[in-house]
Amino acid sequence: MEIAWFKKIRKPKQPVEHKRIQVPEGLWVKCNGCKEIIYKKEVLRNANVCPKCNYHFRISARERLSALFDDARYQEVDTDIYSVDSLKFRDVKSYRDRLREYREKTGLNDAIINARGTIGGLQVMMAVMEYGFMGGSMGSAVGEKVTRAIERALDERIPLVIICCSGGARMQEGVLSLMQMAKISAALGKLHEARVPYISILTDPTTGGVTASFAMLGDLNIAEPKALIGFAGPRVIEQTIREKLPEEFQRSEFLVEHGMLDFIVERREMRDILIRCLKFLMNAEALAAFAPTSAAPSSTAGSDLVPGAAASGSENVASSQPGQTREPLPFPSPLVARNKITSSPEVS
């Protein structure tokens, strides 16, 4: 037997079972702007904005509603409107299956939410597009819901706010989706004649038929920083004109510089700026002088509201046909627009 006096005989290492470190999913997010890995809770605390490069992450429609309305309380209306496969369209899968898939995924009937509530104490009608539902594309149901939001604002003389986030018109519905551009624009024309304020907020992305219609027709057109806003994409435009486009083309900063937008507001300041804009557009003295004699009771006003959630308002609609006068919803009491003091015969 040999004795190792001057060297140490090492015993062979026993194989160790590979143990994978379990990292909880969703704990970190990668910023699409600076490409940094960021702690998700830090992003959430910063209103879903990157704390390093100020990149604005996309958020859902319900998150926007909760962030803007007072105490995150709002009443969802027009919940029973949804698209159908009128053309029996099919590509890789049928349009009907796609609709069912996105309804299960998002919990929404279509790519927009109509809601009403108060912002800074002012009653507001709001329509918010959901990009998670087929890229926020505008189909016949989206067009109908936007039109109904406009009609509600017109009937009740309250400001209208539309938050746009869309890839354009929904080609699976063909001309039925393209017709919504004209229908919505005509409804906004009536809102403008009645001098009821309309504020359009454009987020990333706002493209196609939405940009070509109601997104750019606001009394104020506001955008988030670095938002992609345009009709056709930059690649298509470059191939058409055969020229190199300027840097930051079709971004919100570029559009402000060329007079297409009024100003840019960061998400953390959006609610405060929106309150200031609404108070500027609404005549408070006229509202007080021409307030309706029969206001809805305050006990009924808050009974149907749940913080951060929505209550269906479809039962309160007198008629489901667009363009017809509806009874105002019980929450909250309606306001009177400043055009009450004008002598226009068109305003009742």
Side-chain angles (χ1 to χ4, degrees):
M1 179 179 179
E2 295 182 1
I3 299 176
W5 293 98
F6 301 104
K7 68 178 180 177
K8 184 177 181 181
I9 301 176
R10 297 180 180 179
K11 296 180 180 179
K13 293 182 179 180
Q14 298 295 327
V16 180
E17 295 182 1
H18 179 68
K19 294 184 179 180
R20 185 178 181 182
I21 301 175
Q22 297 293 333
V23 179
E25 293 184 3
L27 191 61
W28 302 86
V29 294
K30 184 177 180 180
C31 176
N32 294 330
C34 60
K35 309 301 180 183
E36 294 285 338
I37 304 298
I38 312 167
Y39 191 41
K40 187 174 183 178
K41 288 186 178 180
E42 186 177 356
V43 176
L44 294 175
R45 284 194 297 266
N46 201 37
N48 281 283
V49 177
C50 176
K52 298 184 179 181
C53 69
N54 203 38
Y55 174 79
H56 283 53
F57 290 89
R58 292 173 185 168
I59 59 177
S60 67
R62 296 201 185 278
E63 288 176 308
R64 293 189 184 277
L65 289 168
S66 299
L68 293 177
F69 279 121
D70 294 343
D71 302 322
R73 294 164 62 88
Y74 59 89
Q75 182 182 26
E76 187 176 344
V77 296
D78 301 322
T79 57
D80 55 346
I81 301 174
Y82 53 88
S83 293
V84 295
D85 188 9
S86 303
L87 305 180
K88 310 300 180 184
F89 187 91
R90 183 180 184 86
D91 43 51
V92 179
K93 63 172 66 174
S94 68
Y95 179 45
R96 178 179 298 179
D97 292 340
R98 288 188 186 276
L99 289 173
R100 181 169 57 250
E101 175 185 340
Y102 281 103
R103 284 168 188 157
E104 295 173 354
K105 179 181 177 181
T106 62
L108 302 177
N109 280 337
D110 221 293
I112 195 167
I113 298 177
N114 285 358
R116 69 195 299 269
T118 58
I119 300 178
L122 292 173
Q123 182 182 346
V124 175
M125 185 69 209
M126 187 177 296
V128 184
M129 306 192 75
E130 173 58 68
Y131 192 78
F133 194 106
M134 297 189 68
S137 54
M138 179 177 63
S140 54
V142 172
E144 177 64 18
K145 292 187 73 169
V146 173
T147 304
R148 293 199 182 193
I150 298 169
E151 291 173 349
R152 288 182 185 277
L154 180 61
D155 291 344
E156 302 175 31
R157 307 293 181 181
I158 59 177
L160 172 68
V161 177
I162 300 180
I163 301 180
C164 307
C165 185
S166 173
R170 194 175 299 175
M171 290 298 98
Q172 291 91 339
E173 298 186 25
V175 71
L176 298 177
S177 73
L178 295 176
M179 288 175 61
Q180 307 308 314
M181 299 168 58
K183 181 172 74 173
I184 296 172
S185 299
L188 285 174
K190 294 182 179 180
L191 194 72
H192 176 71
E193 291 176 0
R195 300 186 182 183
V196 178
Y198 162 44
I199 298 178
S200 176
I201 301 176
L202 296 84
T203 66
D204 182 66
T206 301
T207 57
V210 173
T211 306
S213 55
F214 61 90
M216 304 299 290
L217 294 178
D219 298 314
L220 286 177
N221 295 328
I222 307 172
E224 289 186 341
K226 302 291 183 181
L228 176 64
I229 303 169
F231 183 69
R235 178 178 55 84
V236 176
I237 297 176
E238 284 185 341
Q239 292 176 351
T240 303
I241 65 176
R242 299 180 180 178
E243 292 182 9
K244 184 67 177 177
L245 295 174
E247 189 176 355
E248 298 297 326
F249 179 74
Q250 288 188 331
R251 295 293 172 176
S252 51
E253 291 77 7
F254 184 89
L255 270 67
V256 168
E257 183 180 349
H258 290 77
M260 298 294 291
L261 298 174
D262 292 296
F263 50 89
I264 298 172
V265 180
E266 293 190 8
R267 188 175 295 160
R268 291 163 293 190
E269 303 174 357
M270 183 65 74
R271 173 178 156 81
D272 295 334
I273 296 296
L274 193 57
I275 292 173
R276 291 177 60 186
C277 292
L278 289 171
K279 289 182 177 179
F280 175 79
L281 293 171
M282 299 296 289
N283 191 321
E285 295 181 359
L287 294 176
F290 292 88
T293 55
S294 59
S298 58
S299 59
T300 309
S303 59
D304 297 333
L305 299 183
V306 180
S312 173
S314 58
E315 296 80 10
N316 299 313
V317 181
S319 174
S320 61
Q321 297 296 327
Q324 296 185 4
T325 303
R326 305 180 181 87
E327 295 182 1
L329 297 171
F331 168 78
S333 58
L335 300 177
V336 182
R338 57 181 176 177
N339 64 322
K340 286 290 186 179
I341 63 175
T342 65
S343 58
S344 173
E346 298 179 359
V347 180
S348 57

